[in-house]
Amino acid sequence: MKRWLLLPLLASVVTLANAEGSARGWLDQMQRAFKTENYQGVLIYGNQQHWETISVKHGTVDGKEYEMLRHLTGVPREIIRSGDETICIHPGDHSVRLASSLPSPLQGIDSNADISESYNFRFADSQRIAGRYAKQLFISPKDENRYGYRLWLDQESGLLLRSDMLGQAGQVLERFQFATVEIGIPLSAADFVPDGDGHPLDEHPAFKISDHSLDTPAWLPQWVPAGFVLMKAGELIPPVPEGADETLRQPPMRLMYTDGLAAFTLFVDLAGAEKMPEMVSQWGATSAAVRYRKQGEERYRITAVGELPSATISRIAASVQPAVTSGEQSDSGH
Amino acid sequence: MNERINESLSALVDGETDELEVRRLLNQLESDDGMRQTWHRYQMIGALMRDEPAVNVDLSRGIAQAIAGEPMDEVSRPAEQASSADEPQVVEKHSRFRWLASGAVAATVTLAVLVGVRMTGNAPGEMQMAEQSQTVNVPAAVVAQADKTEQPVILADASELSPEELEAAQRKLQEYVMQHTEQAAMSNAGGVMPYARVVNFESEEESR
């Protein structure tokens, strides 16, 4: 609201506000394009040290959304999503799974959030990516608690053609980029059939993680960076596949926060006698922190995970406290 | 062998190197006999200067084993004895990783490296990698961020953990990371194209 008062005074703020509005429009368009466009291409994903090449196919057939990701480097593996169903295909029979639903570079993107509170926006000249003209959008954080982005959005469809996630020194933490892409092509359900390609591939059903929402979370962080709001609070229903990790027995409480672009998740669960080091770790854009807290007789583990600087993730995790003073934690899992 | 490497080796012995450097050195130690000897010499000198019994254990091997996911043998024992020694509980944030030069710290190094690596490993590719080569398999993502002077792995009481416990801890954390990415992707109304952060859980590695 305050911005409105200042608007007439500062011409630069006017342009900034326009950029914000327009950026919002482009980001919304980007999301729509991801969901509704038919496209097919090859993208590279990684950082300066390591790249993966992935072929991607996405389309809507008879109102159902299909998506297929196939890793072209490393161990052959595919992820196929049709509607709500996800199938992961990879060799071997490890109980370890692949992430069934792969994240966007913009983890917490949320159309309703006021992202201008936390980020500045600036458009730059169009560039060519994957043979198409792409609008460049710089998104820079207003504080040190989040990362910046540089996005290249297809001029015609708004599809994200390239994304750089930028650390505080401007270094690229993660990049993905289409090498080649076709947009608006016809696709049928037959285009999303697993391709064994002569390799022995086993199908691994993806974990289904559902949660019932909690109105009053038993634990809450006392500090989150400005602009982050609680998006979802729930208890995970533990997956029970064969060979499931026994540490998954207790459903952890989960809180998900977003500032409109970035997201982090807090997990709180009973630690029991389990030993796990308190730690802060970061790889690529993802940071994680593990802390312990005693509540009554029980020892709880607090885990924060998100695409935020590790110092921020660590501070969030350290701030988590029981939301109620009583020792009864009816919804912290049994 | 160039002077910089010697300096790095010395820093490693003195506990003044960061994780990235540890990994680099390990890579080189493996392939360079002369360097390995220098490393042992430095370890001995360090031990003598601190009036400790000279450690006759190749710490680098333990670290490499840990990285390769092999059971740690001779290294874990001196480490356990020493872990009773006073050690800072948590390495200070934002500071460069500071290893203390002692057996206890060797364990910390080992376990820190383990934490960092296993956490990002464990995807289907890993087993094959472990079998297929002796080379130190450093997840690129970790290296990349360490390159950028972001802090790598900080850990507290990991030296009290057995490799099994540590592995369980890593599995747990990895599970959380996966849930985070999945849920974040899903709550975008499934609309945002799910991309490929899974790369971080692969230990596929270009040879370097």
Side-chain angles (χ1 to χ4, degrees):
Chain A
M1 291 319 263
K2 275 181 187 153
R3 187 170 295 110
W4 279 105
L5 301 173
L6 294 170
L7 265 178
L9 304 174
L10 299 164
S12 62
V13 175
V14 176
T15 22
L16 178 67
N18 287 342
E20 275 167 11
S22 179
R24 176 81 272 169
W26 274 94
L27 289 172
D28 289 346
Q29 178 57 33
M30 177 187 85
Q31 276 189 281
R32 267 198 302 279
F34 273 142
K35 198 180 170 65
T36 58
E37 291 282 351
N38 284 12
Y39 49 84
Q40 178 175 339
V42 172
L43 64 90
I44 45 180
Y45 178 91
N47 52 48
Q48 287 166 357
Q49 311 293 322
H50 181 92
W51 293 95
E52 290 275 329
T53 311
I54 300 162
S55 96
V56 178
K57 207 185 283 185
H58 176 277
T60 307
V61 181
D62 297 332
K64 198 171 174 186
E65 197 183 346
Y66 287 86
E67 186 162 58
M68 177 150 79
L69 298 159
R70 181 181 301 154
H71 285 250
L72 303 179
T73 44
V75 177
R77 50 211 192 277
E78 289 184 356
I79 289 129
I80 298 166
R81 192 160 62 86
S82 56
D84 294 332
E85 244 179 293
T86 308
I87 304 169
C88 304
I89 300 165
H90 60 87
D93 55 358
H94 317 274
S95 56
V96 177
R97 71 204 160 110
L98 293 172
S100 60
S101 183
L102 305 178
S104 135
L106 297 160
Q107 274 280 30
I109 191 159
D110 175 4
S111 310
N112 302 317
D114 180 15
I115 45 178
S116 63
E117 188 187 318
S118 311
Y119 299 91
N120 289 317
F121 299 90
R122 182 168 64 85
F123 284 101
D125 292 344
S126 293
Q127 285 188 344
R128 244 173 115 241
I129 304 285
R132 301 179 68 94
Y133 284 94
K135 206 166 179 65
Q136 260 191 90
L137 176 57
F138 285 83
I139 304 176
S140 44
K142 289 185 176 176
D143 61 28
E144 73 284 2
N145 290 314
R146 57 210 104 209
Y147 293 133
Y149 306 86
R150 188 174 171 192
L151 308 179
W152 286 257
L153 303 167
D154 183 52
Q155 293 266 45
E156 284 173 36
S157 64
L159 192 72
L160 185 61
L161 297 181
R162 173 176 164 182
S163 153
D164 288 1
M165 192 187 281
L166 304 170
Q168 274 135 27
Q171 77 276 24
V172 177
L173 297 171
E174 270 185 1
R175 170 180 294 161
F176 86 78
Q177 178 173 352
F178 274 105
T180 165
V181 66
E182 295 172 277
I183 302 174
I185 48 164
L187 290 169
S188 70
D191 287 308
F192 297 94
V193 171
D195 172 23
D197 206 29
H199 297 282
L201 294 177
D202 297 336
E203 293 200 5
H204 296 256
F207 279 48
K208 261 270 194 281
I209 299 171
S210 46
D211 52 2
H212 55 268
S213 70
L214 295 171
D215 292 335
T216 51
W219 296 77
L220 284 171
Q222 302 303 300
W223 181 83
V224 296
F228 275 90
V229 293
L230 181 59
M231 202 178 176
K232 253 182 159 181
E235 235 172 60
L236 291 180
I237 294 179
V240 281
E242 32 173 345
D245 186 347
E246 58 167 45
T247 59
L248 295 177
R249 277 170 313 178
Q250 293 161 336
M253 192 196 76
R254 198 199 59 208
L255 304 174
M256 215 183 104
Y257 286 79
T258 174
D259 70 349
L261 287 180
F264 71 86
T265 308
L266 280 170
F267 300 91
V268 181
D269 63 345
L270 274 168
E274 254 177 77
K275 289 185 191 169
M276 183 167 174
E278 288 210 332
M279 61 186 162
V280 179
S281 185
Q282 181 182 355
W283 55 100
T286 305
S287 300
V290 180
R291 294 284 178 266
Y292 288 91
R293 194 165 279 279
K294 275 219 134 182
Q295 167 74 357
E297 293 296 293
E298 302 286 2
R299 188 160 152 269
Y300 287 86
R301 172 176 37 237
I302 293 148
T303 310
V305 180
E307 282 64 47
L308 299 178
S310 53
T312 303
I313 282 290
S314 172
R315 192 173 162 197
I316 293 165
S319 81
V320 173
Q321 302 270 3
V324 286
T325 45
S326 113
E328 292 303 306
Q329 305 294 320
S330 59
D331 40 16
S332 48
H334 7 204
Chain B
M1 195 186 335
N2 66 43
E3 210 167 76
R4 207 189 132 260
I5 299 265
N6 273 339
E7 250 174 54
S8 302
L9 264 187
S10 170
L12 177 56
V13 174
D14 292 341
E16 288 183 356
T17 189
D18 61 25
E19 190 188 3
L20 175 66
E21 203 61 22
V22 171
R23 291 157 191 269
R24 272 206 198 110
L25 287 168
L26 283 174
N27 268 324
Q28 279 170 331
L29 273 171
E30 194 138 51
S31 57
D32 188 333
D33 270 288
M35 188 173 157
R36 199 151 46 227
Q37 278 167 17
T38 312
W39 156 257
H40 287 304
R41 212 159 53 234
Y42 281 4
Q43 263 184 271
M44 295 289 236
I45 294 170
L48 289 173
M49 281 169 66
R50 288 185 307 273
D51 211 13
E52 289 167 10
V55 191
N56 208 9
V57 166
D58 185 354
L59 300 176
S60 69
R61 186 159 168 253
I63 299 174
Q65 277 178 337
I67 289 175
E70 293 165 17
M72 285 178 289
D73 41 38
E74 67 265 65
V75 175
S76 56
R77 263 172 269 126
E80 273 165 26
Q81 289 165 12
S83 68
S84 55
D86 283 345
E87 241 189 284
Q89 273 285 299
V90 181
V91 180
E92 193 63 60
K93 262 183 285 177
H94 287 310
S95 73
R96 301 271 284 173
F97 224 77
R98 243 187 115 78
W99 317 102
L100 303 179
S102 72
V105 173
T108 312
V109 171
T110 307
L111 293 167
V113 172
L114 230 184
V115 169
V117 171
R118 286 290 186 69
M119 206 151 52
T120 57
N122 257 346
E126 189 181 49
M127 292 185 141
Q128 295 170 354
M129 287 300 296
E131 285 163 16
Q132 141 200 119
S133 75
Q134 292 280 54
T135 57
V136 176
N137 179 23
V138 180
V142 175
V143 173
Q145 57 90 1
D147 248 338
K148 307 299 181 194
T149 71
E150 307 257 1
Q151 81 214 43
V153 178
I154 296 174
L155 87 179
D157 51 0
S159 56
E160 292 165 10
L161 299 183
S162 70
E164 292 76 31
E165 289 169 327
L166 200 60
E167 202 184 316
Q170 287 151 4
R171 261 206 311 277
K172 183 104 189 173
L173 184 56
Q174 182 177 327
E175 177 60 32
Y176 283 152
V177 173
M178 290 230 177
Q179 285 179 8
H180 160 73
T181 51
E182 286 178 357
Q183 291 302 302
M186 280 177 205
S187 45
N188 298 337
V192 175
M193 180 172 183
Y195 271 115
R197 190 160 286 119
V198 76
V199 69
N200 288 325
F201 295 97
E202 294 302 324
S203 46
E204 296 312 298
E205 187 69 19
E206 281 94 11
S207 46
R208 289 145 43 80

